[in-house]
C-alpha cells in the first residue's frame, strides 16, 4: 500500500501540466487571433482615413471650383442683364424706326391724285394770302390757271368736278370789281411829283417873250416919239393886270405860304396812299375828294398842269372801289371733297 501513493501524484501532475499547456495554447491562439484582428482593423481604419482624407481634399477642390463657377455665373448674369438692357433699348429704337417707316410708307403710298390735290390746295391758299396782302387778284388767278392746267394733264375723271369749280371761280374773279392798288399807288406818286410844278391861282404869269415884228423904216424925226410911246405902253401893261379868280381864299395866299399849301396837298395824297394800303377805300375816296377840292380852290384852273392833275384825281376817284376781295370757297370745298376720296 505504501508504494501506490507516488503513482497517483504523478498522474495528477501530468494532467495539470497538460491542462496548462492547452490553456496556454488556447490563450496564445486567442491572443494571435486578437492581434490579427487588431492589425486588420487598424489597416481598415487606415484605409478609411485615407479615403476620408481623399474625399475631404476632393470636397475642398470641388468647393473652390464651385465658388469659381458661382463667381463666373454672377459675371455671366451681370453681362446678360447688361445685354438685355442694350437689347431692350435697341428694340425700342427698332420699334420707333418701324413706326417712322410705317408713316413714311403710308405717306409714300398715297396715290398721285392725292398728292396733286394736296399741292393744288397749298398753292391756292398761298395765292389767296398774297391776294389779301397785295389787294390784286392776279396771284389768285395765276394759281387757279396753273391748277386747271395740272388737272388737265392728270386727266382723271373724278377730278372733273374740281376743274368745274376752278373754272367758275376764275369767271367770278374776272367779273369782280377789284381796286388795282399797285396801279393807283403809282398814279398817286406821279401826282405827288407834279404838285411842286402846279401854278397857284394868284401867281403872276410869266410874260411871253415875243420877238418884235419888223416895222417899216421910218424917218429919223419920227423914231424918238414912237420909241417913247412903246415904252410908256409897255410900262402901263406891267402895272395893271386884270384876272378873274372865283375863289376869294386863293387871293389871300401869300408867296411864303405857297410851300405849306403844296406840302398840305402832298399830305392829302399820302393819306390816300395809306388808306389804300390799309384797305380803307371810303377814307381813300374822301381824301381824294379833299385833294381835288384844294386843287380847284388854290391852283390855277386854266393851267394845263392843273387840268392834267385834276383829270388824274378823277380817274383815281373812279378806280377806288369798296368791293371785297374775291374768295375761292367753292374750289377749296371741292378740294376737301377730292382729298377725302369722294
Amino acid at each position: 500500500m505504501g508504494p501506490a501513493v507516488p503513482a497517483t501524484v504523478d498522474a495528477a501532475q501530468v494532467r495539470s501540466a497538460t491542462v496548462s499547456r492547452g490553456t496556454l495554447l488556447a490563450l496564445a491562439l486567442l491572443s494571435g487571433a486578437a492581434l490579427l484582428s487588431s492589425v486588420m482593423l487598424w489597416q481598415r481604419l487606415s484605409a478609411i482615413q485615407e479615403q476620408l482624407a481623399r474625399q475631404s481634399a476632393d470636397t475642398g477642390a470641388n468647393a473652390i471650383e464651385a465658388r469659381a463657377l458661382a463667381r463666373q455665373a454672377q459675371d455671366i448674369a451681370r453681362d446678360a442683364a447688361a445685354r438685355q438692357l442694350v437689347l431692350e433699348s435697341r428694340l425700342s429704337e427698332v420699334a420707333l424706326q418701324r413706326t417712322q417707316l410705317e408713316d413714311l410708307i403710308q405717306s409714300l403710298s398715297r396715290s398721285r391724285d392725292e398728292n396733286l390735290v394736296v399741292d393744288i390746295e397749298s398753292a391756292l391758299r398761298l395765292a389767296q394770302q398774297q391776294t389779301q396782302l397785295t389787294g390784286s387778284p392776279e396771284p389768285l388767278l395765276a394759281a387757279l390757271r396753273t391748277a386747271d392746267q395740272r388737272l388737265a394733264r392728270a386727266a382723271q375723271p373724278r377730278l372733273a368736278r374740281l376743274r368745274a369749280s376752278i373754272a367758275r371761280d376764275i369767271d367770278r374773279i374776272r367779273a369782280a370789281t377789284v381796286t388795282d392798288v399797285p396801279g393807283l399807288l403809282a398814279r398817286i406818286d406821279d401826282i405827288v411829283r407834279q404838285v411842286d410844278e402846279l401854278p397857284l391861282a394868284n401867281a403872276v404869269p410869266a410874260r411871253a417873250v415875243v420877238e418884235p415884228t419888223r416895222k417899216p423904216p421910218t424917218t429919223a424925226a419920227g423914231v424918238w416919239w414912237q420909241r417913247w410911246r412903246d415904252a410908256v405902253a409897255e410900262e402901263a401893261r406891267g402895272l395893271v393886270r386884270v384876272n378873274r379868280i372865283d375863289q376869294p381864299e386863293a387871293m389871300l395866299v401869300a408867296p411864303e405860304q405857297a410851300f405849306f399849301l403844296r406840302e398840305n396837298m402832298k399830305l392829302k395824297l399820302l393819306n390816300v396812299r395809306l388808306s389804300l394800303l390799309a384797305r380803307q377805300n371810303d377814307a381813300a375816296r374822301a381824301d381824294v375828294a379833299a385833294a381835288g377840292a384844294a386843287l380847284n380852290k388854290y391852283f390855277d384852273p386854266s393851267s394845263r398842269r392843273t387840268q392834267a392833275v385834276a383829270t388824274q384825281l378823277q380817274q383815281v376817284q373812279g378806280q377806288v372801289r369798296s368791293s371785297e376781295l374775291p374768295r375761292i370757297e367753292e374750289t377749296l370745298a371741292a378740294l376737301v371733297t377730292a382729298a377725302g376720296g369722294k
Side-chain angles (χ1 to χ4, degrees), residues 42 59 80 99 137 156 217 250 311 323 339:
W42 177 258
T59 303
T99 304
Q156 292 295 329
T311 303
S323 60

Side-chain angles (χ1 to χ4, degrees), residues 90-103:
R90 290 183 178 178
L91 182 61
S92 61
E93 292 178 0
V94 170
L96 179 60
Q97 292 177 358
R98 180 180 177 182
T99 304
Q100 294 176 353
L101 184 60
E102 289 178 354
D103 295 339

Side-chain angles (χ1 to χ4, degrees), residues 231-278:
V232 170
E234 186 70 20
E235 291 295 331
R237 284 195 297 269
L239 291 175
V240 179
R241 178 170 61 94
V242 178
N243 191 12
R244 178 178 177 178
I245 299 177
D246 296 331
Q247 300 293 337
E249 293 86 354
M251 291 297 300
L252 301 178
V253 178
E256 60 271 10
Q257 294 177 349
F259 172 78
F260 299 101
L261 180 61
R262 298 179 190 277
E263 293 300 320
N264 190 19
M265 185 74 175
K266 292 179 182 179
L267 288 177
K268 287 184 174 64
L269 295 174
L270 292 178
N271 287 334
V272 175
R273 180 185 179 90
L274 293 176
S275 299
L276 289 174
L277 292 175

Side-chain angles (χ1 to χ4, degrees), residues 15 50 144 267 306 311:
R15 283 196 299 271
E50 291 178 359
L144 288 172
L267 288 177
T306 305
T311 303

Side-chain angles (χ1 to χ4, degrees), residues 113-114 117-118 121 158-159 162 333-342:
D113 298 340
E114 293 175 350
V117 169
V118 171
E121 183 178 2
R158 72 182 189 90
L159 299 178
L162 178 58
L335 285 170
V336 173
T337 304
K342 297 181 181 179

Side-chain angles (χ1 to χ4, degrees), residues 198 265 290-301 306 309-311 313:
L198 295 177
M265 185 74 175
L295 180 68
N296 296 327
K297 186 175 183 180
Y298 294 103
F299 293 92
D300 186 8
T306 305
V309 171
T311 303
L313 287 177

